Amino acid sequence: MYASFKSIGAYVPQKRLTNKDLEEIVDTNDEWIKQRTGIENRFIADEDESTSDLAYKAAEKAIARSGLAKEEIDAIICATITPDFFCMPSTACVVADKLGIKYVTAFDISAACSGFVYALNIAKAFIESGLKKNVLIIGAEKLSAIVDYTDRTTCVLFGDGAGAAVIGASELLEESVLDIHTSSDGAYQDFLITPGGGSQNPCSQKVIDEHLQFLKMKGNETFKLAVNTLTKDVTRILQKNDMTSTDVDYFIPHQANFRIIDAVGRKLKFPQEKIVLTVAKYGNTSAASIPMAINDWYESGKLKQGDLMLLDTFGGGLTWGSALVYFNQKDS
Ligand code: ACO
């Protein structure tokens, strides 16, 4: 039995935050943001809307499209760096409750922007070992909760959203999650970090006064590392599977910055029409970025059952990963 990508779903909050809106908040401008990142817009959750609310709405769609009954889901993995609660309960448990699914393995994972690919890897292992039959994986983020809207170097980059997929089983290789590679290098832990609020620097007045509960990023250093690491990782997974960019139907990278995607796409010789781009619409939604992009391409009628997707991601940790996945949603 192979693990198989049976369905996709996503949810985007209603409230739009444009580059023009950000000009009113920090010392930035539309031209700088577009030129340096490709971002034009992002969506922000309401104050009373939490990560689990976004995740739940994405998950409902993915389950409906999988054709399965909710009771057939036997594991829920939520990738997020913005859980509903600090420490516990996990967002996956909250989502399970919202979905009305009881007695299910449910847990969160933390791999920042790489979270969805990491979750896919765990789902693949669960299914191919026979431990689970249908795993709901979710990438969901309310990044607006950890973004410092006085810091122009980060606040223009991030948005909220969620994407979810049901991973089931298939006997056919051409319906499989063909291969995944995930990795990390903790030596770069300070490139992307929320320095306050954890056990190293627990919540205190000092943490709040110094804005240490918010996301900090060494953008330029991260940029260079991202381009090199992603190019190497994608080359490696293609070579390992005896493939080139021509065998791939869609290259679906993490949507952090158009310039990173463009540089990696050029180095790997992907034609424009094969590169999935949603960064202009949503900004960087961390773990939600790849499933939201898959969902966009599916809903616009471009992504069809049987298409080979090459997923590729990079984020805090530092973590990264790539995956070759046949899209196997039957109604597409
Ligand atoms: N508006 C106007 N000017 C700005 C802004 C802004 N919003 N932000 C920074 N600047 C200024 C800087 O102050 C700097 O000015 P200076 O030259 O006078 O000092 C100048 O613009 C250039 O700044 P850089 O940081 O060098 O700009 P760069 O071209 O590197 O772009 C960016 C910054 C967009 C953050 C880019 O480095 C990037 O995308 N990095 C990678 C992000 C990434 O991939 N993260 C991983 C995933 S995220 C996750 O895991 C949660």
Side-chain angles (χ1 to χ4, degrees):
M1 274 294 176
Y2 299 107
S4 182
F5 200 105
K6 299 255 172 162
S7 67
I8 189 72
Y11 176 75
V12 184
Q14 302 292 311
K15 200 167 118 198
R16 187 186 289 270
L17 183 66
T18 64
N19 294 349
K20 284 275 169 218
D21 296 330
L22 283 160
E23 286 180 7
E24 307 293 317
I25 301 172
V26 284
D27 177 17
T28 190
N29 59 78
D30 178 49
E31 200 193 339
W32 189 96
I33 303 173
K34 275 205 275 219
Q35 256 182 20
R36 299 289 180 121
T37 71
I39 300 169
E40 293 173 18
N41 195 60
R42 65 286 295 138
F43 291 86
I44 303 296
D46 275 341
E47 247 171 62
D48 62 355
E49 209 174 17
S50 63
T51 296
S52 69
D53 294 317
L54 312 182
Y56 160 69
K57 286 176 182 153
E60 280 241 294
K61 273 195 198 158
I63 295 170
R65 287 171 179 167
S66 73
L68 294 173
K70 283 179 184 171
E71 299 67 42
E72 292 176 89
I73 301 291
D74 51 4
I76 301 176
I77 307 170
C78 184
T80 185
I81 51 168
T82 49
D84 277 24
F85 301 103
F86 181 55
C87 303
M88 60 185 165
S90 72
T91 304
C93 283
V94 179
V95 174
D97 183 51
K98 286 182 177 168
L99 288 167
I101 302 178
K102 281 199 184 296
Y103 315 125
V104 64
T105 299
F107 59 94
D108 290 355
I109 60 159
S110 168
C113 302
S114 309
F116 186 78
V117 174
Y118 268 64
L120 182 60
N121 206 5
I122 298 167
K124 179 173 161 66
F126 268 166
I127 287 161
E128 292 180 0
S129 65
L131 206 59
K132 300 288 176 192
K133 288 193 169 63
N134 297 297
V135 183
L136 172 67
I137 59 170
I138 305 169
E141 303 286 8
K142 184 178 176 178
L143 291 170
S144 57
I146 60 160
V147 163
D148 182 350
Y149 285 97
T150 64
D151 174 10
R152 70 173 182 173
T153 67
T154 52
C155 75
V156 301
L157 305 173
F158 298 100
D160 300 337
V166 173
I167 312 302
S170 169
E171 287 173 358
L172 304 175
L173 190 68
E174 61 273 21
E175 293 187 346
S176 70
V177 175
L178 190 62
D179 197 11
I180 307 189
H181 176 250
T182 54
S183 194
S184 70
D185 188 346
Y188 299 105
Q189 59 193 270
D190 63 337
F191 274 33
L192 271 149
I193 190 166
T194 47
S199 62
Q200 204 181 90
N201 198 2
C203 189
S204 66
Q205 192 57 48
K206 183 174 179 287
V207 163
I208 290 164
D209 289 345
E210 294 178 7
H211 290 200
L212 301 179
Q213 76 276 31
F214 293 125
L215 182 156
K216 320 272 176 210
M217 178 166 70
K218 291 186 179 173
N220 205 268
E221 291 90 328
T222 308
F223 186 101
K224 286 177 201 147
L225 216 56
V227 173
N228 289 333
T229 309
L230 290 174
T231 308
K232 268 193 221 148
D233 209 52
V234 169
T235 305
R236 179 192 144 130
I237 201 166
L238 285 173
Q239 279 176 353
K240 186 177 159 221
N241 288 277
D242 222 1
M243 288 182 177
T244 67
S245 54
T246 51
D247 297 300
V248 171
D249 293 295
Y250 289 112
F251 175 48
I252 311 183
H254 170 49
Q255 307 285 316
N257 186 319
F258 171 75
R259 289 189 296 136
I260 296 178
I261 299 171
D262 190 49
V264 176
R266 277 173 202 272
K267 284 188 182 203
L268 296 166
K269 300 193 170 46
F270 276 105
Q272 293 282 316
E273 63 276 11
K274 284 194 176 185
I275 303 177
V276 172
L277 279 171
T278 58
V279 67
K281 275 167 86 174
Y282 304 131
N284 181 349
T285 57
S286 187
S289 132
I290 285 184
M292 284 169 74
I294 297 172
N295 186 71
D296 250 51
W297 247 237
Y298 162 68
E299 288 191 352
S300 66
K302 291 180 210 136
L303 183 65
K304 304 275 187 215
Q305 186 191 4
D307 282 346
L308 181 61
M309 309 183 285
L310 173 53
L311 316 181
D312 172 29
T313 190
F314 188 85
L318 292 175
T319 55
W320 59 90
S322 47
L324 282 165
V325 183
Y326 288 103
F327 186 65
N328 191 28
Q329 189 173 296
K330 300 288 183 199
D331 69 356
S332 54

